[in-house]
Amino acid sequence: MAQLTRVSGSVGLITLQNPPVNALSAAVRQGIVDTVKKAVSDPLVKCVVICGQNGVFCGGADIREFGAPMTGPPLVPMIHAIEATNKPVVAAIEGAALGGGLELALGCHYRIIHSKARVGLPEVTLGLLPAAGGSQRLPRLIGVPAALELITTGRHVSAAEALKLGIVDQVTDDNTVDTTVKFALSVVGRSLESRRISTFPCPPVSDLDAVFDVAMQRVRQSARGAIAPVTCVQAVRAAATLPYTQGMKREQELMATLFTSGQARALQYCFFAQRAVSRWSMPSGARWDTSKPRPISKAAVIGLGTMGRGIAVALAQAGLSVVAVETQEKQLMDAKQAVSGMLERGAKRRGVAPALGLVSYSHNIQAVAEADLVIEAVFEDMDLKKKVFQQLSAVCKPGTLLCTNTSSLDVDHLASQTPSPELVVGMHFFAPAHVMKLLEVVYGPRSSPQAVATAMQLGKKMGKVSVAVGNCRGFVGNRMLKPYMEQAFFLLEEGATPELVDQALEEFGFAMGVFRMSDLSGLDVGWRVRKADGLVDPDATSGRSARIRQGRRYSPLGDLLCEQGRFGQKAGRGWYQYDKPGSRVAKPDPWLHNFLEQYRARHGLGVRHIDHQEVLERCLYALINEGFRILEDGIAAGPEDIDAIYVFGYGWPRYRGGPMFYAGMVGLANVLERLEHFHQVHPDVPYLQPCSLLRRLVASGSPPIQKWREVIRKVHSQL
Ligand SMILES: C[C@H](O)[C@H](C)C(=O)SCCNC(=O)CCNC(=O)[C@H](O)C(C)(C)COP(=O)([O-])OP(=O)([O-])OC[C@H]1O[C@@H](n2cnc3c(N)ncnc32)[C@H](O)[C@@H]1OP(=O)([O-])[O-]
């Protein structure tokens, strides 16, 4: 909807009305067409101002409408009509003008923006391109190189930068609509010929081919298989080489190749999944909208290793005062330096003052007595963590929330070390904690809804994608990673190489395959967990028993490498070799290939041809199957939770939507059929046995992912 009012005598003020972000739904587009026509034909109206209700200009096209047949007036002629009017039209930009919202503003003759607002063309992040003239008008307004960068990255631009680039005409700190109304009155009577961007020639670029070759190379490298960034380059090239009308035709043709693509559907699913996870619920029935978070102004971090330092930085960057505690003096001094450095670099990148004063340091746990919330990030050892929780219970003021950053240990067992287990939750950050978006908030059976609500709200304040999950071994992310890695090890036993497995996963879109990732994080991390699980047995060197643990198939390959000190990058050798310890360039290692051959011979294992398809099916379907078990167990409330965890924490390619969305894309019946096949071939691998929830979904006709929660609810109600 759009409303027209006449203000200041002769200004037609058009207000977009579609809360919360005034997305350009069919009704809003119709409203704009009607109100512009009315304003233009009203002799009392000398100029027009377009603004958005609730302090937001416009969040672009209504993404919720993409799945349905198009209704209402199309955007392109609507914006053309505004540009063609003979009365000045000025956009008053508050909050955000994104996608179709900025394209609408680019159709106006002038743009006034509030200093805190942002603009951008983020369509590429939704698997699309700016298809309401943005790919043709923006290059004409700010030049090809700047437009290429904005359109292929989709990044949001601050008001100050938008002015510098020439996207807007004026920045104001005052009331944006009032300022814009005054401005509009001041330009009445001026020629509009030079204000219609579509008529601008595209600024010439010296060596156009070189500019586009470089851009294409850059996006192909960073896109890792995403098609939208590449198509965006082609659209901007049309602006640089074709007259406007032909360029617009090309823009529409290119958009048509993206609009119905699987990648676009996956990226739009991720957009909504990222927002859906904030509407959390627990099996107890507690929910996001019925649980009141507790205000947190003072936080504390115990243990200043790599994770503790990152968490302290993330808390301070979110504006909280932080007490950082480390008992070892040297470690404390090193941490102080590291944290200050991270805060300064972060502040420089964001153009703000570093929050150094917000962090205080101590080697005495007494220092956290007044904290509202404490995050324990000491070494991943249960006995050590239990001791810390006992100390915290004695030191902290009543009601203090006690959180653990453990990545796999039992949160409820730690809670039992305190008199108030309802105040204990897991806050599982991902390294580097001040950079990685994901936060798993882990609730135990005794965690209170208020404790979960508080941790979720703190996560949002830290700019994290926070997902509430139940307490179990490895929570969601690491629990699903186990069958994924297990299959990768088994594939090596059956004839594959680390290079083959990693290449298949990287072509699928992962930034790093499982073996390169293992070398980066250190093989000893998993080794320690397997030891704690009683799986490592250095005496079992040959024969079947060496490859069976707790009645199921087991591959000791990782253990054998660790026993030889091959811990990965930090040791200069792991699944790959590196020039020296700490270097990051992985090279195939003849020693490793030879070791695998000897291993197979020692265990009487044949070598067979393994292709990329099998690698993907074995590793990803085993992971997905565990995802269905997690949904069945109620550890995650819905598929969106799992997909957000894998996209924001485990490098799952965003344009594939996440493991559960991907399962829906390839077809649940296919996933089930392949798992049944692999389990038949490998009956001693329980992770390959299809989960009953998967069977149930296939039996009920493989409903779309949006309907899975209903089936899950039915399953739980029958338990
Ligand atoms: C032709 C044209 O070329 C093409 C093809 C296009 O234009 S494609 C579209 C391009 N536009 C975008 O990519 C911008 C997307 N939006 C955002 O980046 C952010 O929303 C925001 C504007 C910066 C506000 O952030 P926020 O943190 O204050 O709130 P929120 O939680 O994010 O959002 C608040 C609520 O609004 C919903 N929402 C936001 N933008 C929406 C949109 N464009 N369409 C539909 N719903 C939208 C969102 O799902 C959430 O709903 P719910 O979860 O409450 O039910």
Side-chain angles (χ1 to χ4, degrees):
M1 298 52 75
Q3 183 193 49
L4 173 64
T5 49
R6 194 151 50 78
V7 297
S8 301
S10 61
V11 179
L13 178 63
I14 296 175
T15 306
L16 310 184
Q17 301 172 322
N18 184 16
V21 298
N22 302 319
L24 297 165
S25 63
V28 172
R29 297 195 305 272
Q30 190 61 59
I32 294 172
V33 169
D34 299 345
T35 50
V36 168
K37 213 178 276 168
K38 213 160 159 220
V40 169
S41 58
D42 181 343
L44 296 176
V45 171
K46 301 294 181 224
C47 55
V48 178
V49 168
I50 300 180
C51 69
Q53 200 180 37
N54 306 330
V56 179
F57 182 73
C58 177
D62 192 331
I63 307 168
R64 292 184 195 287
E65 290 186 347
F66 288 174
M70 166 99 170
T71 56
L75 270 172
V76 170
M78 178 191 91
I79 295 173
H80 271 145
I82 291 170
E83 190 183 56
T85 62
N86 55 10
K87 296 179 181 179
V89 181
V90 189
I93 301 173
E94 287 174 301
L98 299 170
L102 178 57
E103 290 171 301
L104 170 63
L106 292 176
C108 298
H109 305 115
Y110 298 90
R111 286 153 292 282
I112 308 298
I113 189 169
H114 187 272
S115 56
K116 290 203 171 59
R118 295 167 296 156
V119 299
L121 294 175
E123 284 86 346
V124 70
T125 65
L126 297 168
L128 306 172
L129 59 81
S135 72
Q136 303 307 302
R137 283 195 174 88
L138 193 66
R140 283 174 164 76
L141 183 63
I142 68 173
V144 166
L148 258 178
E149 192 267 330
L150 290 187
I151 291 173
T152 54
T153 60
R155 74 180 173 87
H156 298 183
V157 173
S158 69
E161 188 183 355
L163 183 68
K164 206 156 132 240
L165 287 169
I167 299 175
V168 298
D169 303 287
Q170 193 177 315
V171 175
T172 179
D173 287 317
D174 306 326
N175 177 296
T176 316
V177 174
D178 294 351
T179 307
T180 310
V181 165
K182 285 199 197 84
F183 179 91
L185 286 167
S186 73
V187 296
V188 170
R190 286 196 201 160
S191 158
L192 295 174
E193 284 316 312
S194 64
R195 303 302 307 179
R196 298 191 172 99
I197 300 172
S198 65
T199 64
F200 295 7
C202 203
V205 181
S206 60
D207 203 348
L208 189 83
D209 290 339
V211 167
F212 280 97
D213 292 349
V214 169
M216 196 57 97
Q217 205 187 354
R218 176 176 54 77
V219 296
R220 282 194 199 287
Q221 208 161 16
S222 58
R224 286 204 308 276
I227 53 178
V230 172
T231 314
C232 283
V233 174
Q234 295 163 335
V236 177
R237 189 179 187 109
T241 54
L242 300 172
Y244 177 78
T245 312
Q246 289 170 44
M248 279 302 289
K249 192 164 166 294
R250 185 80 183 117
E251 177 190 276
Q252 301 306 307
E253 288 163 2
L254 290 167
M255 176 63 157
T257 64
L258 297 176
F259 198 68
T260 52
S261 69
Q263 292 196 4
R265 290 217 312 274
L267 287 159
Q268 287 150 33
Y269 165 81
C270 278
F271 176 85
F272 289 118
Q274 183 180 347
R275 286 149 182 84
V277 293
S278 60
R279 294 188 283 273
W280 56 272
S281 61
M282 295 160 73
S284 64
R287 299 160 39 97
W288 63 285
D289 51 358
T290 57
S291 313
K292 200 168 172 336
R294 186 176 295 172
I296 303 291
S297 57
K298 195 174 176 111
V301 180
I302 310 291
L304 297 179
T306 310
M307 292 306 293
R309 294 170 188 187
I311 296 169
V313 170
L315 288 165
Q317 285 176 340
L320 281 102
S321 81
V322 184
V323 180
V325 176
E326 171 56 59
T327 48
Q328 292 162 35
E329 201 55 41
K330 166 116 182 32
Q331 177 93 328
L332 183 64
M333 299 322 291
D334 294 352
K336 199 169 178 177
Q337 216 175 352
V339 168
S340 307
M342 286 191 267
L343 285 171
E344 277 153 1
R345 287 190 297 279
K348 197 153 169 250
R349 253 195 317 278
R350 289 175 298 137
V352 296
L356 300 175
L358 282 178
V359 187
S360 59
Y361 302 86
S362 171
H363 62 275
N364 183 341
I365 200 162
Q366 291 290 341
V368 309
E370 291 312 309
D372 305 312
L373 177 144
V374 181
I375 302 176
E376 163 278 309
V378 300
F379 189 69
E380 191 75 348
D381 173 78
M382 182 54 100
D383 293 338
L384 176 61
K385 288 182 186 289
K386 282 163 72 173
K387 204 161 126 259
V388 171
F389 269 71
Q390 289 154 6
Q391 289 173 323
L392 288 172
S393 306
V395 165
C396 291
K397 65 182 181 184
T400 298
L401 288 180
L402 302 182
C403 310
T404 171
N405 178 54
T406 180
S407 57
S408 65
L409 299 175
D410 185 339
V411 171
D412 194 52
H413 190 45
L414 283 172
S416 58
Q417 307 307 309
T418 75
S420 318
E422 73 283 2
L423 297 175
V424 175
V425 289
M427 288 185 80
H428 178 207
F429 291 82
F430 291 75
H434 63 299
V435 176
M436 288 295 284
K437 287 279 276 180
L438 179 66
L439 174 68
E440 275 185 325
V441 171
V442 185
Y443 55 81
R446 295 176 287 175
S447 303
S448 69
Q450 186 178 48
V452 176
T454 307
M456 289 292 284
Q457 187 183 60
L458 178 57
K460 186 163 187 178
K461 195 169 178 181
M462 297 161 92
K464 302 293 182 195
V465 174
S466 308
V467 185
V469 300
N471 179 42
C472 67
R473 187 95 174 117
F475 315 136
V476 169
N478 288 344
R479 177 173 160 179
M480 290 168 69
L481 205 60
K482 205 163 171 215
Y484 169 80
M485 295 198 69
E486 184 185 74
Q487 285 303 311
F489 283 9
F490 292 161
L491 287 163
L492 293 188
E493 292 190 340
E494 295 161 33
T497 61
E499 296 80 25
L500 173 101
V501 173
D502 281 355
Q503 196 188 0
L505 294 168
E506 287 161 19
E507 282 174 10
F508 178 81
F510 281 99
M512 264 192 187
V514 60
F515 293 110
R516 282 205 309 136
M517 180 55 84
S518 173
D519 273 359
L520 173 68
S521 45
L523 278 71
D524 50 330
V525 177
W527 195 32
R528 258 201 311 278
V529 174
R530 292 191 298 275
K531 276 185 180 167
D533 289 349
L535 291 170
V536 177
D537 176 1
D539 304 331
T541 50
S542 65
R544 186 118 181 78
S545 64
R547 296 177 39 248
I548 294 285
R549 297 285 188 287
Q550 296 155 0
R552 49 203 293 165
R553 182 178 168 186
Y554 177 81
S555 172
L557 280 170
D559 307 338
L560 294 169
L561 260 64
C562 287
E563 281 151 22
Q564 307 193 34
R566 296 182 70 96
F567 298 134
Q569 283 183 7
K570 59 186 165 192
R573 57 205 174 107
W575 298 105
Y576 295 88
Q577 59 177 338
Y578 302 83
D579 291 343
K580 59 181 181 354
S583 92
R584 294 173 175 274
V585 182
K587 296 190 186 119
D589 187 343
W591 180 94
L592 197 271
H593 294 162
N594 191 26
F595 162 81
L596 285 175
E597 276 163 30
Q598 289 173 0
Y599 172 91
R600 294 181 195 122
R602 193 165 63 246
H603 291 280
L605 297 167
V607 173
R608 61 182 177 80
H609 171 69
I610 294 171
D611 61 15
H612 283 194
Q613 185 59 22
E614 180 176 354
V615 171
L616 293 180
E617 290 182 349
R618 296 260 306 262
C619 293
L620 303 183
Y621 292 1
L623 176 144
I624 288 166
N625 195 34
E626 193 61 20
F628 282 113
R629 287 205 176 88
I630 284 171
L631 291 172
E632 198 170 57
D633 296 350
I635 295 293
E640 299 84 355
D641 300 276
I642 295 177
D643 289 336
I645 285 170
Y646 262 76
V647 166
F648 292 100
Y650 290 79
W652 183 282
R654 203 177 164 128
Y655 63 80
R656 296 202 186 264
M660 309 321 282
F661 180 88
Y662 176 70
M665 287 289 268
V666 293
L668 298 182
N670 293 333
V671 175
L672 177 58
E673 187 273 325
R674 297 308 291 157
L675 282 168
E676 281 171 337
H677 163 72
F678 292 129
H679 191 236
Q680 209 169 19
V681 178
H682 307 283
D684 54 355
V685 181
Y687 277 132
L688 291 173
Q689 181 164 27
C691 166
S692 54
L693 174 61
L694 171 58
R695 290 187 187 286
R696 179 112 180 210
L697 283 164
V698 171
S700 48
S702 299
I705 196 165
Q706 289 75 9
K707 298 266 185 259
W708 292 9
R709 283 178 188 249
E710 285 162 36
V711 178
I712 295 165
R713 264 196 292 279
K714 269 202 211 107
V715 169
H716 289 163
S717 64
Q718 288 155 2
L719 286 175

